[in-house]
Amino acid sequence: MTTDLTAVGDTGLLDTLQHEVALFARRAEQTRLGGVGQVRNSMDRAAYLLLNRLDKEGPMGVKALAASMGIDSSTVTRQVAPLVDTGLVKRTSHPEDGRAVVLQLSPRGQARLEEVRASRRQLMAELTEDWAPEEREAFCALLTRFNGALSARMTGHDRGDS
């Protein structure tokens, strides 16, 4: 059973929240939160998220990568193709099953990812330069929690169907 938050909560606050999330999504897409300097807008969101996942979780197959990102395998295959073509990702044989393909961040991909991360860190520092460290921590914790709730809802773990 779900609770209708608009009935018990502050509808004005919820309206403001949904509006601010919509603005954030639009602005994030417009700028791709691409960082600063020459690296600005130089890597799209899909590429960044794929490279980041391979960096954090290590080599994996298309199905595992798709599952860990909550998208389908055909989408991963389509998104990873240009990363392979540009040498940012390598396709290798699975160590235990030579017929299976494993995707792995290449040294070039690692260097490129670090360059983009550094640029994006600089952007985040500039955007929050007048924030107290506690405000940055609170915003990060709440945004992480919000993204987790969105992810759970999208994957069906919190649909309120029970």
Side-chain angles (χ1 to χ4, degrees):
M1 181 175 163
T2 60
T3 303
D4 181 2
L5 293 177
T6 59
V8 296
D10 180 349
T11 57
L13 180 62
L14 294 174
D15 284 345
T16 300
L17 178 60
Q18 68 80 21
H19 180 75
E20 291 300 324
V21 168
L23 281 175
F24 173 77
R26 184 179 70 201
R27 288 187 179 127
E29 189 58 33
Q30 286 172 339
T31 65
R32 295 183 184 166
L33 290 180
V36 295
Q38 290 182 320
V39 180
R40 179 169 158 57
N41 292 330
S42 64
M43 183 179 289
D44 70 36
R45 181 185 65 240
Y48 178 77
L49 292 172
L50 283 166
L51 294 177
N52 201 50
R53 184 66 57 138
L54 288 171
D55 182 48
K56 294 204 180 304
E57 296 185 21
M60 65 180 79
V62 169
K63 285 183 181 178
L65 184 56
S68 73
M69 296 184 71
I71 57 180
D72 63 60
S73 295
S74 64
T75 301
V76 168
T77 300
R78 188 174 56 255
Q79 291 176 348
V80 85
L83 300 176
V84 171
D85 292 344
T86 57
L88 300 178
V89 171
K90 297 188 299 185
R91 283 191 179 113
T92 58
S93 296
H94 192 283
E96 295 159 13
D97 180 0
R99 298 168 296 165
V101 174
V102 174
L103 300 170
Q104 178 178 346
L105 196 59
S106 71
R108 182 175 180 207
Q110 182 69 54
R112 185 78 182 99
L113 180 59
E114 286 305 320
E115 180 182 40
V116 171
R117 279 181 181 155
S119 177
R120 290 179 179 198
R121 271 193 303 274
Q122 180 62 36
L123 176 61
M124 293 300 108
E126 290 175 13
L127 291 173
T128 62
E129 68 185 340
D130 62 342
W131 295 19
E134 310 81 55
E135 290 174 312
R136 282 182 177 172
E137 289 173 18
F139 182 71
C140 189
L142 289 170
L143 190 56
T144 299
R145 185 174 169 189
F146 185 80
N147 279 328
L150 276 174
S151 180
R153 183 168 193 94
M154 297 302 292
T155 58
H157 294 120
D158 186 30
R159 292 196 179 166
D161 302 331
S162 51

